[in-house]
Amino acid sequence: MRKLILVALIILLILPAAFAAGQKGTAEASAKTVTVFGAFVDEEARRFEEAIKPFEERTGIDVIYEGSKDFETLISVRVEGGNPPDIAGLPQPGLMVNFASQGKLVPMWSSLIATIDKNYAPVWKSLGSYDGTPYGVFHRVNAKSFVWYPKKAWATAGYQVPTTWNELTALMDKMVANGHTPWAVGIESGGATGWVGTDWIEDIMLRTAGPDVYDKWVSNEIPFNAPEVKQAFDVLGKIWLNPKYVYGGTNTILTTSFGDAQRPMFDNPPKAWMHRQGNFITGFFPENIQANLTDEVGVFPLPAINDEFGIPVLGGGDQFVVFNDRPEVRQFMEFLATWESGESWAKAGGALFPYLNQDLDAYPNEIERSLAEALVNAKVFRFDASDLMPAQVGAGSFWTGIVDWVTGKPLDTMLNEVQRSWPK
Amino acid sequence: MARANVKKSNWTIIVNLVLLVLVIIWSIPILGLFISSVRPQDNVLTTGWWTVFGEHGELTFDNYRQVLGGRGYTFVDSAGNTVRASGDNLSQAFLNSFTVTIPSVIIPILIASAAAFAFAWMIFPGRKFFFTTVVALLVVPLQIALIPILRDYQGLGLTGSYLGIWLAHTGFGLPLGIYLLYNYISTIPRDVFESAFLDGARPMIVFSRLVLPLSVPAIASLAIFQFLWVWNDLLVALVFLGGTADVAVLTQRLATMVGSRGQDWHLLTAGAFVAMVVPLAVFFGLQRYFVEGLMAGSVKG
């Protein structure tokens, strides 16, 4: 019996070892590889891999993508541990600033900078720069300032797409008069609950105070309890804190997951008639809606509040930065800066790209085409403020502040608390 | 005497009732998880699992099909055709998990049992000091060791290799293993060893012929602990092994299955049950040792 156990142990030990050794051999055999580490996984990772195939076929370089949901933690551990990937796709500019200031990143070289200047609007270059030096290249991006609505039900009810904030307010009152609830809102997102609210505030800030004040707010040149911020919360409060305007009132706002919040729009008759969210939300729509997206869903940009600032677009995106400087890594970065690297993903749907020279016809439906058009043509584009602010605020007190405010904490108290939490 | 018996049986009933209530409370979420795993996606997202007994009675194995057989993706290939392909299935991830787990259970058990024997029955200078150090390591969280170890691994070329993660799990598992086995092995009656030593047996013979066979219950319970810990581990695997498809373990595949924004969380229900199968099999396989082994060392006789 004992001998049997011993033999079994030895076999179990040796088998996987041999198997592991075999695997390692095959990995080393392939010639040039570039490792890319990013935060997107599953279907999106698959589409990214498909989108870079033309590069792999042309150059013979093997690009290995690895995605993880724990990206933010892992990238810091791996960089600190001396095991960084060749290229990383950072979802937050703050991460880039951290790594760049520690001297971990390879700055962009002149030929790539020339490509960036040609293919992107200036805002993307400055978002990818630290201390005047460009470090990052944007690939897939997202835009958030959109309002989605059930198209068929709107047509039946005779609602028109509002083009100004006043028209929007009038529309909301008309809906209430018809016994309809205008908005579907949900901000629950586990440990990140509240970020939906920060997006709303940012969108309103851009429309009431303008991009310059927005930038100062992000860098805390104006405090978090400044009148401009207060005004944005007042505008939002008129919608969110009015139980007639939001499906289920404030309780539903707090307890509904951001992804499921749009569902009441697709009940028959709709329990809510509008939903403000980024372009990714289409992936959460019910399957029968996704199958006929263009027929079932309409979308319009959140209207301007102050004509002076027009309709700005709020968004975000992953920027790719270089940790290891090798010729094949450079080649891949130059590929990422071109529309060719996004084309097949754009065709598959669910992704927007910032390239100035992109072919809008590549997008699979009218909705995504109009979103891409709004993104490329936006006079003002700003990165998600909560991703730019220090993590204690942008991924902390700003989120919880939103929750507290919806729960009923007085606005001034909440804003003062957020301001106090700003790292000195 | 009779009164004492009545009192005792009353107590038994109360204890059993409390246990029954606890079992029910603990089982309801699992039941809900299981029911959710066989409901269609739209129902999972819009209604609670209990409605399955009423208006939303549809059942489907679609979630299991997607988890086991790989999700369907649509993408556009370089020729411009829209292709629908199914993603990777879980077989590679299962294989990787076994490759990581089995040595990560066996190596620490071999080392820990030898160490426990030495600490318990061999006399050498610094025995108390070393044993205290090992026990003190129990309270050190493994997270603080990640970056230093990763740096060393980088120098040794161990990052991304199975050997590296076996050693990591071995190191993280040893303090508990040594402590648990020490408590058991130190309770083996001294007489057993004395007669063996009198017959001229060397420590290695005593260890392999006497200690190992006598410690099977404790070793089995340690094996269960270590197996569950390694099988369910996500962090250590992500840091030392990485998450590329050829090495990704089951927990990593499950974590990515929900999508970048968690839009496919309904698949987690089925994924949880698929991932549970192996630990349950191990648990039931070693269960008869487990209860015995848990008691092991709790009372030092």
Side-chain angles (χ1 to χ4, degrees):
Chain A
M1 175 64 190
R2 202 177 59 246
K3 269 190 181 153
L4 207 80
I5 293 179
L6 213 72
V7 170
L9 289 188
I10 291 168
I11 291 175
L12 283 174
L13 260 175
I14 290 172
L15 261 187
F19 171 70
Q23 267 206 335
K24 237 191 150 200
T26 51
E28 276 161 11
S30 53
K32 285 181 178 171
T33 54
V34 175
T35 56
V36 181
F37 186 36
F40 50 91
V41 296
D42 202 56
E43 186 161 17
E44 292 175 326
R46 186 73 181 242
R47 286 184 175 159
F48 177 74
E49 282 163 4
E50 196 59 36
I52 59 180
K53 267 203 182 134
F55 173 79
E56 294 180 305
E57 280 160 13
R58 196 178 59 217
T59 59
I61 297 169
D62 190 13
V63 180
I64 300 169
Y65 176 76
E66 176 190 351
S68 171
K69 305 254 298 164
D70 302 294
F71 175 81
E72 276 94 342
T73 323
L74 279 176
I75 187 68
S76 302
V77 170
R78 287 190 189 173
V79 171
E80 282 298 313
N83 182 31
D86 293 331
I87 293 172
L90 310 175
Q92 287 160 347
L95 272 176
M96 182 275 289
V97 170
N98 278 350
F99 290 135
S101 62
Q102 294 163 8
K104 308 273 189 199
L105 297 182
V106 179
M108 300 292 102
W109 44 97
S110 55
S111 62
L112 180 55
I113 294 176
T115 316
I116 294 174
D117 283 335
K118 193 171 74 171
N119 290 350
Y120 295 84
V123 62
W124 296 107
K125 186 180 170 189
S126 67
L127 282 169
S129 298
Y130 167 71
D131 224 2
T133 315
Y135 287 93
V137 165
F138 280 88
H139 185 239
R140 184 189 53 146
V141 299
N142 55 64
K144 305 192 176 187
S145 317
F146 301 111
V147 180
W148 307 84
Y149 60 89
K151 209 173 185 177
K152 287 179 176 160
W154 268 46
T156 318
Y159 295 142
Q160 300 285 320
V161 170
T163 54
T164 66
W165 196 263
N166 286 337
E167 282 180 30
L168 178 67
T169 323
L171 177 66
M172 293 192 306
D173 288 331
K174 191 174 165 193
M175 285 176 177
V176 172
N178 290 349
H180 295 155
T181 312
W183 292 97
V185 185
I187 66 171
E188 193 279 325
S189 178
T193 299
W195 67 260
V196 177
T198 68
D199 283 1
W200 273 84
I201 289 296
E202 290 155 12
D203 248 336
I204 295 172
M205 276 288 283
L206 279 174
R207 282 162 178 73
T208 53
D212 291 340
V213 175
Y214 182 91
D215 293 341
K216 285 181 184 153
W217 174 55
V218 166
S219 59
N220 209 20
E221 275 171 69
I222 66 161
F224 212 97
N225 46 9
E228 292 91 339
V229 187
K230 235 185 122 176
Q231 191 198 352
F233 271 94
D234 285 336
V235 171
L236 183 60
K238 279 190 187 130
I239 299 174
W240 276 24
L241 304 184
N242 184 340
K244 283 187 192 144
Y245 283 165
V246 178
Y247 173 66
T250 51
N251 268 340
T252 303
I253 294 182
L254 290 171
T255 56
T256 308
S257 137
F258 70 95
D260 299 340
Q262 34 77 24
R263 291 262 159 174
M265 286 202 301
F266 303 110
D267 282 337
N268 192 15
K271 290 186 188 134
W273 293 71
M274 288 185 284
H275 182 68
R276 194 222 74 110
Q277 190 51 279
N279 57 293
F280 71 84
I281 196 66
T282 51
F284 284 85
F285 287 163
E287 264 169 33
N288 57 330
I289 302 292
Q290 283 191 46
N292 304 305
L293 201 61
T294 331
D295 296 333
E296 296 283 352
V297 183
V299 61
F300 60 90
L302 194 69
I305 298 178
N306 184 335
D307 285 339
E308 189 189 335
F309 307 122
I311 300 180
V313 174
L314 179 78
D318 300 342
Q319 58 175 311
F320 288 84
V321 295
V322 178
F323 286 100
N324 300 321
D325 196 2
R326 294 200 309 275
E328 59 267 29
V329 177
R330 288 196 173 208
Q331 264 179 287
F332 184 63
M333 286 298 281
E334 303 208 357
F335 172 71
L336 279 183
T338 60
W339 160 240
E340 193 195 352
S341 67
E343 194 167 1
S344 101
W345 199 347
K347 280 181 184 157
L352 298 178
F353 293 91
Y355 307 105
L356 291 173
N357 57 346
Q358 63 183 303
D359 174 16
L360 289 174
D361 292 333
Y363 293 94
N365 54 52
E366 194 53 48
I367 287 184
E368 290 189 11
R369 201 168 300 133
S370 66
L371 299 185
E373 212 171 353
L375 178 74
V376 177
N377 294 337
K379 288 197 180 64
V380 174
F381 175 90
R382 280 297 180 271
F383 209 89
D384 191 329
S386 54
D387 285 339
L388 295 170
M389 291 173 178
Q392 295 95 317
V393 179
S397 57
F398 195 0
W399 289 348
T400 50
I402 294 278
V403 175
D404 290 343
W405 174 67
V406 174
T407 319
K409 188 178 265 194
L411 181 56
D412 288 321
T413 322
M414 186 274 277
L415 291 178
N416 291 339
E417 279 173 11
V418 179
Q419 176 59 27
R420 267 202 303 280
S421 72
W422 200 286
K424 297 291 176 301
Chain B
M1 195 62 191
R3 253 173 82 180
N5 269 346
V6 169
K7 216 174 170 185
K8 203 179 165 196
S9 63
N10 274 347
W11 268 111
T12 317
I13 292 172
I14 292 173
V15 166
N16 283 343
L17 274 180
V18 170
L19 284 179
L20 186 71
V21 171
L22 286 179
V23 166
I24 291 174
I25 292 176
W26 254 253
S27 306
I28 284 175
I30 298 175
L31 180 72
L33 191 68
F34 179 72
I35 291 177
S36 293
S37 73
V38 291
R39 300 181 72 208
Q41 178 189 0
D42 275 348
N43 288 5
V44 174
L45 292 182
T46 46
T47 54
W49 57 267
W50 51 90
T51 54
V52 81
F53 302 113
E55 55 205 307
H56 297 290
E58 311 89 338
L59 297 178
T60 169
F61 283 102
D62 195 49
N63 295 339
Y64 285 94
R65 197 179 49 71
Q66 290 198 38
V67 166
L68 291 171
R71 305 233 353 254
Y73 299 104
T74 50
F75 55 85
V76 179
D77 67 10
S78 39
N81 306 312
T82 304
V83 182
R84 185 155 179 92
S86 93
D88 306 330
N89 58 32
L90 282 183
S91 55
Q92 180 71 39
F94 262 110
L95 201 61
N96 292 339
S97 268
F98 277 115
T99 314
V100 167
T101 309
I102 292 171
S104 300
V105 172
I106 292 171
I107 301 173
I109 284 178
L110 288 179
I111 299 178
S113 52
F117 171 61
F119 281 130
W121 293 107
M122 290 171 71
I123 295 158
F124 56 93
R127 189 172 72 145
K128 274 244 163 77
F129 170 76
F130 285 120
F131 184 65
T132 317
T133 313
V134 168
V135 173
L137 282 175
L138 273 175
V139 298
V140 178
L142 69 91
Q143 285 85 347
I144 64 165
L146 292 181
I147 291 176
I149 293 180
L150 191 59
R151 277 189 187 159
D152 293 343
Y153 271 21
Q154 198 63 20
L156 296 167
L158 282 177
T159 13
S161 73
Y162 285 111
L163 182 61
I165 192 161
W166 296 338
L167 292 179
H169 277 305
T170 302
F172 295 138
L174 271 182
L176 180 69
I178 293 175
Y179 180 68
L180 205 94
L181 291 181
Y182 172 86
N183 280 358
Y184 187 86
I185 290 174
S186 63
T187 60
I188 298 174
R190 176 176 291 271
D191 313 1
V192 177
F193 299 106
E194 271 172 0
S195 44
F197 281 124
L198 277 180
D199 290 344
R202 298 162 65 92
M204 203 55 211
I205 304 284
V206 174
F207 174 65
S208 61
R209 298 268 167 90
L210 283 175
V211 175
L212 276 188
L214 284 173
S215 316
V216 164
I219 289 178
S221 62
L222 175 62
I224 292 179
F225 276 133
Q226 181 72 4
F227 184 91
L228 291 182
W229 155 248
V230 177
W231 186 265
N232 290 331
D233 163 74
L234 176 67
L235 180 69
V236 176
L238 275 174
V239 171
F240 294 120
L241 201 55
T244 45
D246 55 336
V247 294
V249 293
L250 201 59
T251 44
Q252 299 176 358
R253 284 297 309 280
L254 286 179
T256 57
M257 198 165 272
V258 296
S260 302
R261 292 188 181 77
Q263 65 270 38
D264 295 316
W265 62 265
H266 61 281
L267 292 180
L268 270 190
T269 52
F273 275 93
V274 171
M276 243 185 252
V277 169
V278 174
L280 280 183
V282 169
F283 185 83
F284 286 120
L286 297 177
Q287 191 204 21
R288 71 195 170 96
Y289 301 110
F290 190 53
V291 178
E292 217 177 321
L294 266 186
M295 304 304 287
S298 58
V299 185
K300 209 177 155 188

